[in-house]
Amino acid sequence: MENRSVVQWDKNDLDALGLIKVDVLALGMLTAIHRALDLVAMKRDQPFGMQEVPAEDPATYDMICKADTVGVFQIESRAQMTMLPRMRPRCFYDLVIQVAIVRPGPIQGGMVHPYLRRRAGEEPVTYPSEEIKQATERTLGVPIFQEQVMQIAMLAADFTAGEADQLRRAMGAWRKRGGLAVHQQRLIERMLQKGYTAEFAGQIAKQVEGFSSYGFPESHAASFALLVYVSCYLKRHHPDAFLAALLNSQPMGFYAPAQLVRDAREHGVVVRPVDVTRSDWFSTLEEETPAETRASALPRWDASYATPVRAVRLGLSRIVGMREKAAQRIVSARQHGAFASVEDLVKRTQLDAHDLQCLSAADALLTLAGRRPDAVWEAAGVDTRPTEMLRSARTLEDPWAFQAPTEGAEVADDYASMGLTLRRHPLALIRHRLSALGVCTAEALRTRARDRDRVMASGIVTHRQQPSTSKGVIFATLEDETGTVNIIVWPQLAQAQRSTLRQSRLLTVQGTWQSEKGVHSLVALQLWNHTEMLGDLRVSSRDFR
């Protein structure tokens, strides 16, 4: 920015000088929400900002309680999705707690299960003293936020405001170790002097130590919860605008475009392919899709989703290697008339061989040149040299007659050129082979498998995680044509089959099905690498991240 100076300082130096330090957090979801709100305003033909989002919308909370949160802010991860059916948020403050509770601090401090049991009525809500009640009543007697720990220190251990701030700083320095011991000892000693039991004082000290591994301040959690709610409202009531906004804000979030598109289509959003005669640079909204069409597209139609939704046209930005300036020339040239042929497209937009190759590989020339092999051939025959003197008059008088590509080849080319496909999921193409092995689909497991059943699942590995709090347990997510299956791999099996677990693109798992309170997972007993079944499907786990 003109006349702007940026001076870099170490944060500890700022503290020493007594200067104010403000952290500015850049969130991709802010961009996505802004774009989604603009698209909703376009649909409604009137302004629509965050202030127009209705508060405490029951349908939005219904969706959240089902853990139907792919693509939203913060509560889209596997750990959050596992917690949502147990937590069942029904108001904004529940979301504040939800954001904060799935963190290393509360988990290591032993706060999660007591809170859930108390919330479910499985454990009485008790307070050792009025001081503790004053600090923790809003979270059922369980300290979840940093501010609550500071309140407990001041009320139950007579910390001064200065000492409480030092405790906050020690908890906030979660990348450093060793700075908490003096505060913990002081906390325990003073609580014992005030009549608290050694067990309770030790528990509070343990929770303080947990917060040093990353715990949220309440104010921070509340700010995040607002974005959680708005993104969930948009997903629930405007899934078309939400999908387009997410695609236009990549890279971001927990899910790759392939997964976002699959999820949106399961919610009845019609997604149309990249088309050089229709697509802009960004993904856009087209005409409304009738509710009947959406109902036929949904695997589990819910009449409450019958609100008007527009089709989403994928943008040219989805094409790997496509340059924005070239795309803008295409959009600009279209305003002066439709393209008559690939050669007409090239002449009017000055596309070079690279741009043309990107378009043909992504099947974006379908309306001008037919199927992808024909389009690639025709594009190769167009002279893209920049001047008339260099350009020859040669044209392909006898176009080669290409055989129609197989569906598997089309899917493979889609993933290679765009990282997603609007055709069938890769596993749908090999379902007969998987079924012969006794593999169940994700939907069959969700709807028919019972707790503790021995089952088999198979899918493309979209995520592998080993959180610092998991004690060596590895969590993976498998995706097939009907949904996802969450896998739990205990340390002994993870070590014994390390290469299979780490290297498989298509992973088959035999294990014990766990189903409790709407939370489903498969505890692995045996793993197989079935990547070779994908054959020519050059789909990679990277396409799903």
Side-chain angles (χ1 to χ4, degrees), residues 273-276 279 281 315-327 329-330 342 345-346 351-366 371-373 375-380 384 413-420:
V274 178
D275 185 340
V276 75
S279 295
W281 172 246
L316 296 166
S317 60
R318 295 268 32 96
I319 301 176
V320 175
M322 191 67 193
R323 292 176 287 206
E324 184 174 0
K325 288 185 177 179
R329 292 199 302 272
I330 292 172
V342 175
L345 166 70
V346 171
L351 296 181
D352 61 18
H354 169 82
D355 300 322
L356 207 53
Q357 182 179 9
C358 290
L359 290 169
S360 59
D363 216 13
L365 300 177
L366 180 66
R371 295 171 312 203
R372 187 172 356 227
V376 171
W377 178 259
E378 183 171 341
T384 58
D413 287 336
D414 285 345
Y415 277 108
S417 60
M418 294 187 295
L420 60 88

Coordinates of all heavy atoms in Angstrom, one line a residue, residues 273-276 279 281 315-327 329-330 342 345-346 351-366 371-373 375-380 384 413-420:
P273 N -20.3 -29.0 -15.5 CA -18.8 -29.0 -15.8 C -18.3 -27.7 -16.3 O -19.1 -26.8 -16.7 CB -18.7 -30.1 -16.8 CG -20.1 -30.1 -17.5 CD -21.1 -29.8 -16.4
V274 N -17.0 -27.6 -16.3 CA -16.3 -26.4 -16.9 C -16.6 -26.5 -18.4 O -16.5 -27.5 -19.1 CB -14.8 -26.5 -16.7 CG1 -14.1 -25.4 -17.4 CG2 -14.5 -26.5 -15.2
D275 N -17.0 -25.3 -19.0 CA -17.4 -25.2 -20.4 C -16.9 -23.8 -20.9 O -17.3 -22.8 -20.3 CB -18.9 -25.3 -20.5 CG -19.4 -25.3 -22.0 OD1 -18.6 -24.9 -22.8 OD2 -20.5 -25.7 -22.2
V276 N -16.1 -23.9 -21.9 CA -15.5 -22.6 -22.4 C -16.5 -21.7 -22.9 O -16.3 -20.5 -23.0 CB -14.4 -23.0 -23.5 CG1 -15.1 -23.4 -24.8 CG2 -13.5 -21.8 -23.7
S279 N -18.5 -21.0 -18.8 CA -17.8 -20.7 -17.5 C -17.1 -19.4 -17.4 O -16.5 -19.0 -18.4 CB -16.8 -21.9 -17.2 OG -17.4 -23.1 -17.1
W281 N -14.2 -17.2 -14.8 CA -13.0 -17.6 -14.1 C -13.4 -18.3 -12.8 O -13.0 -19.4 -12.5 CB -12.1 -16.5 -13.9 CG -10.9 -16.8 -12.9 CD1 -10.7 -16.3 -11.7 CD2 -9.8 -17.6 -13.2 NE1 -9.5 -16.8 -11.2 CE2 -9.0 -17.6 -12.1 CE3 -9.5 -18.4 -14.3 CZ2 -7.8 -18.4 -12.0 CZ3 -8.3 -19.2 -14.3 CH2 -7.5 -19.1 -13.1
G315 N -15.9 -23.1 -12.6 CA -15.2 -22.0 -13.2 C -13.9 -22.5 -13.9 O -13.4 -23.6 -13.6
L316 N -13.4 -21.7 -14.8 CA -12.2 -22.1 -15.4 C -11.0 -22.2 -14.5 O -10.0 -22.8 -14.8 CB -11.8 -21.1 -16.5 CG -12.9 -21.0 -17.7 CD1 -12.6 -19.7 -18.5 CD2 -12.8 -22.2 -18.6
S317 N -11.1 -21.6 -13.3 CA -10.1 -21.6 -12.3 C -9.9 -23.0 -11.8 O -8.9 -23.4 -11.1 CB -10.4 -20.7 -11.1 OG -11.6 -21.1 -10.5
R318 N -10.8 -23.9 -12.0 CA -10.7 -25.3 -11.5 C -9.8 -26.1 -12.4 O -9.3 -27.2 -12.0 CB -12.1 -26.0 -11.5 CG -13.1 -25.4 -10.6 CD -13.1 -26.1 -9.2 NE -11.9 -26.6 -8.7 CZ -11.0 -26.0 -7.9 NH1 -11.3 -24.7 -7.5 NH2 -9.9 -26.6 -7.5
I319 N -9.4 -25.6 -13.5 CA -8.5 -26.3 -14.4 C -7.1 -26.2 -14.0 O -6.6 -25.0 -13.9 CB -8.7 -25.9 -15.9 CG1 -10.2 -26.0 -16.3 CG2 -7.8 -26.6 -16.8 CD1 -10.5 -25.5 -17.7
V320 N -6.4 -27.3 -13.8 CA -5.0 -27.3 -13.4 C -4.2 -26.6 -14.5 O -4.2 -27.0 -15.7 CB -4.5 -28.7 -13.1 CG1 -3.0 -28.7 -12.8 CG2 -5.3 -29.3 -12.0
G321 N -3.4 -25.6 -14.1 CA -2.5 -24.9 -15.1 C -3.2 -23.8 -15.8 O -2.4 -23.0 -16.5
M322 N -4.5 -23.6 -15.8 CA -5.1 -22.5 -16.5 C -4.8 -21.2 -15.9 O -4.8 -21.0 -14.7 CB -6.6 -22.7 -16.5 CG -7.4 -21.8 -17.5 SD -7.0 -22.2 -19.2 CE -7.7 -20.8 -20.0
R323 N -4.5 -20.2 -16.8 CA -4.1 -18.9 -16.4 C -5.3 -17.9 -16.4 O -6.1 -17.9 -17.3 CB -2.9 -18.4 -17.2 CG -1.7 -19.2 -17.0 CD -0.5 -18.8 -17.9 NE -0.8 -19.2 -19.3 CZ 0.2 -19.4 -20.2 NH1 1.5 -19.3 -19.8 NH2 -0.1 -19.8 -21.4
E324 N -5.3 -17.1 -15.3 CA -6.5 -16.2 -15.2 C -6.6 -15.2 -16.3 O -7.7 -14.9 -16.8 CB -6.4 -15.5 -13.8 CG -7.7 -14.7 -13.6 CD -7.7 -14.0 -12.2 OE1 -6.7 -14.3 -11.4 OE2 -8.7 -13.3 -11.9
K325 N -5.5 -14.7 -16.8 CA -5.6 -13.7 -17.8 C -6.1 -14.3 -19.1 O -6.9 -13.6 -19.8 CB -4.2 -13.1 -18.1 CG -3.7 -12.2 -17.0 CD -2.4 -11.5 -17.4 CE -1.9 -10.5 -16.3 NZ -0.6 -9.9 -16.6
A326 N -5.8 -15.5 -19.4 CA -6.3 -16.2 -20.6 C -7.8 -16.4 -20.4 O -8.6 -16.2 -21.3 CB -5.6 -17.5 -20.8
A327 N -8.2 -16.8 -19.2 CA -9.6 -17.0 -18.9 C -10.4 -15.8 -19.1 O -11.6 -15.8 -19.6 CB -9.8 -17.6 -17.5
R329 N -9.8 -13.3 -21.0 CA -9.9 -13.0 -22.4 C -11.1 -13.8 -23.0 O -11.8 -13.3 -23.9 CB -8.6 -13.2 -23.2 CG -7.5 -12.3 -22.8 CD -6.4 -12.3 -23.8 NE -5.8 -13.6 -24.1 CZ -4.8 -14.1 -23.4 NH1 -4.2 -13.3 -22.4 NH2 -4.3 -15.3 -23.7
I330 N -11.2 -15.0 -22.6 CA -12.3 -15.9 -23.1 C -13.6 -15.3 -22.7 O -14.5 -15.2 -23.5 CB -12.1 -17.3 -22.5 CG1 -10.9 -18.0 -23.1 CG2 -13.4 -18.1 -22.8 CD1 -10.6 -19.3 -22.5
V342 N -13.1 -24.2 -32.3 CA -11.9 -24.1 -31.5 C -11.0 -23.0 -32.2 O -10.4 -22.2 -31.5 CB -11.2 -25.4 -31.3 CG1 -9.9 -25.2 -30.6 CG2 -12.1 -26.4 -30.6
L345 N -12.2 -19.6 -31.4 CA -11.8 -19.4 -30.0 C -10.4 -18.9 -29.9 O -10.1 -17.8 -29.2 CB -12.0 -20.6 -29.2 CG -11.4 -20.6 -27.7 CD1 -12.2 -19.7 -26.8 CD2 -11.4 -22.0 -27.1
V346 N -9.5 -19.6 -30.5 CA -8.1 -19.2 -30.4 C -7.8 -17.8 -31.1 O -7.1 -17.0 -30.5 CB -7.2 -20.3 -31.1 CG1 -5.7 -19.8 -31.2 CG2 -7.3 -21.6 -30.3
L351 N -5.2 -17.4 -27.4 CA -4.8 -18.5 -26.6 C -3.5 -19.1 -27.2 O -3.4 -19.3 -28.4 CB -5.8 -19.6 -26.4 CG -7.2 -19.1 -25.7 CD1 -8.1 -20.3 -25.7 CD2 -6.9 -18.6 -24.4
D352 N -2.6 -19.5 -26.3 CA -1.4 -20.2 -26.8 C -1.6 -21.7 -26.6 O -2.7 -22.2 -26.1 CB -0.1 -19.8 -26.1 CG -0.2 -20.0 -24.6 OD1 -1.0 -20.8 -24.1 OD2 0.6 -19.4 -23.9
A353 N -0.6 -22.5 -27.0 CA -0.8 -24.0 -26.9 C -1.0 -24.5 -25.5 O -1.7 -25.5 -25.3 CB 0.5 -24.6 -27.5
H354 N -0.4 -23.8 -24.5 CA -0.6 -24.3 -23.1 C -2.0 -24.1 -22.7 O -2.6 -25.0 -22.1 CB 0.3 -23.4 -22.2 CG 0.0 -23.6 -20.8 ND1 0.5 -24.7 -20.0 CD2 -0.7 -22.9 -19.9 CE1 0.1 -24.6 -18.8 NE2 -0.7 -23.5 -18.7
D355 N -2.6 -22.9 -23.0 CA -4.0 -22.7 -22.6 C -4.9 -23.7 -23.3 O -5.9 -24.2 -22.6 CB -4.4 -21.2 -23.0 CG -3.5 -20.2 -22.3 OD1 -3.2 -20.4 -21.1 OD2 -3.2 -19.2 -22.9
L356 N -4.7 -23.9 -24.5 CA -5.6 -24.8 -25.3 C -5.5 -26.2 -24.8 O -6.5 -26.9 -24.7 CB -5.2 -24.7 -26.8 CG -6.3 -25.0 -27.8 CD1 -7.5 -24.1 -27.5 CD2 -5.8 -24.8 -29.2
Q357 N -4.3 -26.6 -24.4 CA -4.1 -28.0 -23.9 C -4.8 -28.1 -22.6 O -5.4 -29.2 -22.3 CB -2.6 -28.3 -23.7 CG -2.3 -29.7 -23.2 CD -0.8 -29.9 -23.1 OE1 0.0 -29.0 -23.2 NE2 -0.4 -31.2 -22.9
C358 N -4.7 -27.1 -21.7 CA -5.4 -27.1 -20.4 C -6.9 -27.3 -20.6 O -7.6 -28.1 -20.0 CB -5.1 -25.9 -19.6 SG -3.5 -25.7 -19.0
L359 N -7.5 -26.5 -21.6 CA -8.9 -26.6 -21.8 C -9.4 -27.9 -22.4 O -10.4 -28.5 -22.0 CB -9.3 -25.4 -22.8 CG -9.2 -24.0 -22.3 CD1 -9.4 -23.0 -23.4 CD2 -10.3 -23.8 -21.2
S360 N -8.6 -28.4 -23.3 CA -9.0 -29.7 -24.0 C -8.9 -30.9 -23.0 O -9.7 -31.8 -22.9 CB -8.2 -30.0 -25.2 OG -6.8 -30.0 -24.9
A361 N -7.8 -30.8 -22.2 CA -7.6 -31.9 -21.2 C -8.7 -31.9 -20.1 O -9.1 -33.0 -19.6 CB -6.2 -31.8 -20.5
A362 N -9.3 -30.8 -19.8 CA -10.3 -30.7 -18.8 C -11.7 -30.9 -19.4 O -12.7 -30.7 -18.7 CB -10.2 -29.3 -18.1
D363 N -11.8 -31.2 -20.7 CA -13.1 -31.5 -21.3 C -13.9 -30.2 -21.4 O -15.1 -30.2 -21.5 CB -13.9 -32.5 -20.6 CG -14.7 -33.4 -21.6 OD1 -14.4 -33.3 -22.8 OD2 -15.6 -34.1 -21.2
A364 N -13.2 -29.0 -21.4 CA -13.9 -27.8 -21.4 C -14.3 -27.3 -22.8 O -15.0 -26.3 -23.0 CB -13.1 -26.7 -20.8
L365 N -13.8 -28.1 -23.8 CA -14.1 -27.8 -25.2 C -15.2 -28.7 -25.8 O -15.4 -28.7 -27.0 CB -12.9 -27.9 -26.1 CG -11.7 -27.0 -25.7 CD1 -10.5 -27.3 -26.6 CD2 -12.1 -25.5 -25.8
L366 N -16.0 -29.3 -24.9 CA -16.9 -30.3 -25.4 C -18.0 -29.7 -26.3 O -18.3 -30.4 -27.4 CB -17.7 -30.9 -24.1 CG -18.7 -31.9 -24.4 CD1 -18.1 -33.2 -25.0 CD2 -19.5 -32.3 -23.1
R371 N -16.1 -34.9 -27.7 CA -15.5 -35.6 -26.5 C -14.0 -35.2 -26.4 O -13.4 -34.8 -27.3 CB -15.7 -37.1 -26.7 CG -17.1 -37.5 -26.6 CD -17.3 -39.0 -27.0 NE -16.6 -39.3 -28.2 CZ -16.8 -40.4 -29.0 NH1 -17.8 -41.1 -28.6 NH2 -16.1 -40.6 -30.1
R372 N -13.5 -35.5 -25.2 CA -12.1 -35.1 -24.9 C -11.1 -35.5 -25.9 O -10.3 -34.7 -26.3 CB -11.8 -35.6 -23.5 CG -10.4 -35.1 -23.0 CD -10.1 -35.4 -21.6 NE -11.1 -36.0 -20.8 CZ -11.5 -35.7 -19.6 NH1 -11.0 -34.6 -19.0 NH2 -12.4 -36.4 -19.0
P373 N -11.1 -36.8 -26.4 CA -10.0 -37.2 -27.3 C -10.2 -36.4 -28.6 O -9.1 -35.9 -29.2 CB -10.3 -38.7 -27.6 CG -11.0 -39.1 -26.4 CD -11.8 -38.0 -25.9
A375 N -11.5 -33.4 -28.9 CA -11.1 -32.0 -28.6 C -9.6 -31.8 -28.5 O -9.0 -30.8 -29.0 CB -11.7 -31.5 -27.3
V376 N -8.9 -32.8 -27.9 CA -7.5 -32.7 -27.8 C -6.8 -32.8 -29.2 O -5.9 -32.0 -29.5 CB -6.9 -33.9 -26.9 CG1 -5.4 -34.0 -27.0 CG2 -7.4 -33.8 -25.5
W377 N -7.4 -33.6 -30.0 CA -6.9 -33.7 -31.4 C -7.1 -32.4 -32.2 O -6.2 -31.9 -32.9 CB -7.6 -34.9 -32.1 CG -7.1 -35.1 -33.6 CD1 -7.8 -34.7 -34.7 CD2 -5.9 -35.7 -34.0 NE1 -7.2 -35.0 -35.8 CE2 -6.0 -35.6 -35.4 CE3 -4.8 -36.2 -33.4 CZ2 -4.9 -36.1 -36.2 CZ3 -3.8 -36.7 -34.2 CH2 -3.9 -36.7 -35.6
E378 N -8.3 -31.9 -32.1 CA -8.6 -30.7 -32.8 C -7.8 -29.5 -32.3 O -7.3 -28.7 -33.1 CB -10.1 -30.3 -32.7 CG -10.5 -29.1 -33.5 CD -12.0 -28.9 -33.6 OE1 -12.7 -29.8 -33.4 OE2 -12.4 -27.7 -33.9
A379 N -7.6 -29.4 -31.0 CA -6.8 -28.4 -30.4 C -5.4 -28.5 -30.8 O -4.7 -27.4 -31.1 CB -6.9 -28.4 -28.9
A380 N -4.9 -29.7 -31.0 CA -3.5 -29.9 -31.4 C -3.3 -29.4 -32.9 O -2.2 -29.0 -33.3 CB -3.1 -31.3 -31.3
T384 N -1.4 -21.9 -33.0 CA -1.5 -20.9 -32.0 C -0.4 -19.9 -32.1 O -0.2 -19.1 -31.2 CB -1.5 -21.5 -30.6 OG1 -0.3 -22.3 -30.5 CG2 -2.7 -22.4 -30.5
D413 N -8.9 -38.8 -16.3 CA -8.5 -37.5 -16.9 C -9.1 -36.3 -16.1 O -8.5 -35.3 -16.0 CB -9.0 -37.5 -18.4 CG -8.1 -38.4 -19.2 OD1 -6.9 -38.6 -18.9 OD2 -8.6 -38.8 -20.3
D414 N -10.3 -36.5 -15.6 CA -11.0 -35.4 -14.8 C -10.1 -35.1 -13.6 O -9.9 -33.9 -13.3 CB -12.4 -35.9 -14.4 CG -13.4 -35.8 -15.5 OD1 -13.1 -35.2 -16.5 OD2 -14.5 -36.4 -15.3
Y415 N -9.7 -36.2 -12.9 CA -8.9 -35.9 -11.7 C -7.5 -35.3 -12.0 O -7.0 -34.4 -11.3 CB -8.7 -37.2 -10.9 CG -9.8 -37.6 -10.0 CD1 -10.7 -38.6 -10.3 CD2 -10.1 -36.8 -8.8 CE1 -11.7 -38.9 -9.5 CE2 -11.1 -37.1 -8.0 CZ -12.0 -38.2 -8.3 OH -13.0 -38.5 -7.5
A416 N -7.0 -35.8 -13.2 CA -5.7 -35.2 -13.6 C -5.7 -33.8 -13.9 O -4.8 -33.0 -13.7 CB -5.1 -36.0 -14.7
S417 N -6.9 -33.3 -14.6 CA -6.9 -32.0 -15.1 C -7.6 -31.0 -14.1 O -7.4 -29.8 -14.2 CB -7.7 -32.0 -16.4 OG -9.0 -32.5 -16.2
M418 N -8.5 -31.5 -13.2 CA -9.2 -30.6 -12.3 C -9.2 -31.0 -10.9 O -9.7 -30.3 -10.0 CB -10.7 -30.5 -12.8 CG -10.9 -29.9 -14.1 SD -12.6 -29.6 -14.5 CE -13.2 -31.4 -14.6
G419 N -8.8 -32.2 -10.5 CA -8.8 -32.7 -9.2 C -10.1 -33.1 -8.7 O -10.3 -33.4 -7.5
L420 N -11.1 -33.3 -9.6 CA -12.5 -33.7 -9.2 C -13.1 -34.3 -10.5 O -12.6 -34.1 -11.6 CB -13.3 -32.6 -8.6 CG -13.5 -31.4 -9.4 CD1 -14.8 -31.5 -10.3 CD2 -13.7 -30.1 -8.5

